[in-house]
Amino acid sequence: RGETPCYCGCPKKKSALFEVSEVIPVMTNNYEENILRGVRDSSYSLESSLELLQKDVVQLHAPRYQSMRRDVIGCTQEMDFILWPRNDIEKIVCLLFSRWKGSDEAFRPVQAKFEFHHGDYEKQFLHVLSRKDKTGIVVNNPNQSVFLFIDRQHLQTPKNKATIFKLCSICLYLPQEQLTHWTVGTIEDHLRPYMPE
């Protein structure tokens, strides 16, 4: 099993680029009840969930992050990033790097794609707005490789009450064997498109 840091950026204007300071690996069967609850809520299909549960899948939870942009001063903290309502985020991209556990070699980029487009999570937020439950909001991209844990908050303005959705943590799903399916290039090569000029 590899040690794994991941990097999350939200490109559109300048990318908001974060390095995850803590990655918590969990095997899928520990979260079977939560996955099946999503099926009951019609968030995704039973067929896709059964396929996910039958694979030897690892979840990589990323609850803490640190800004990587030199023009943004920040320290490691709980994720607290407003995702909605806003229209300046095109997508969330997570880059994953791994190496053999206990190895001193450099981290290498994992050959897996983790993207969550704004339109895909916005549809889910609009669906959640009509529901009464206030806890346990989890949204996922269409291929169920990125799960966002969301906190719903209400802001009182002089004219009305506004609802916002904030990102609490990110979870990446992938078959465990893919942690050692590496692609070419260095961490710097893969981060370059997201770094500010």
Side-chain angles (χ1 to χ4, degrees), residues 37-55:
R37 185 181 311 127
V39 172
R40 287 193 300 274
D41 293 344
S42 301
S43 297
Y44 34 81
S45 72
L46 177 60
E47 293 76 23
S48 65
S49 300
L50 288 175
E51 181 183 334
L52 186 66
L53 289 167
Q54 289 165 359
K55 291 178 184 173

Side-chain angles (χ1 to χ4, degrees), residues 58-109:
V58 64
Q59 300 176 11
L60 301 172
H61 289 267
R64 298 170 65 80
Y65 72 96
Q66 178 170 321
S67 177
M68 292 183 68
R69 283 184 32 189
R70 291 180 184 88
D71 58 334
V72 175
I73 297 171
C75 57
T76 303
Q77 57 191 23
E78 297 302 322
M79 269 196 190
D80 188 14
F81 191 84
I82 296 173
L83 284 179
W84 190 88
R86 61 189 296 175
N87 61 5
D88 61 339
I89 298 175
E90 176 189 339
K91 62 186 172 181
I92 295 170
V93 176
C94 297
L95 305 175
L96 183 65
F97 304 90
S98 72
R99 66 181 177 193
W100 286 109
K101 190 171 186 177
S103 169
D104 289 336
E105 66 185 42
F107 284 96
R108 300 192 299 191

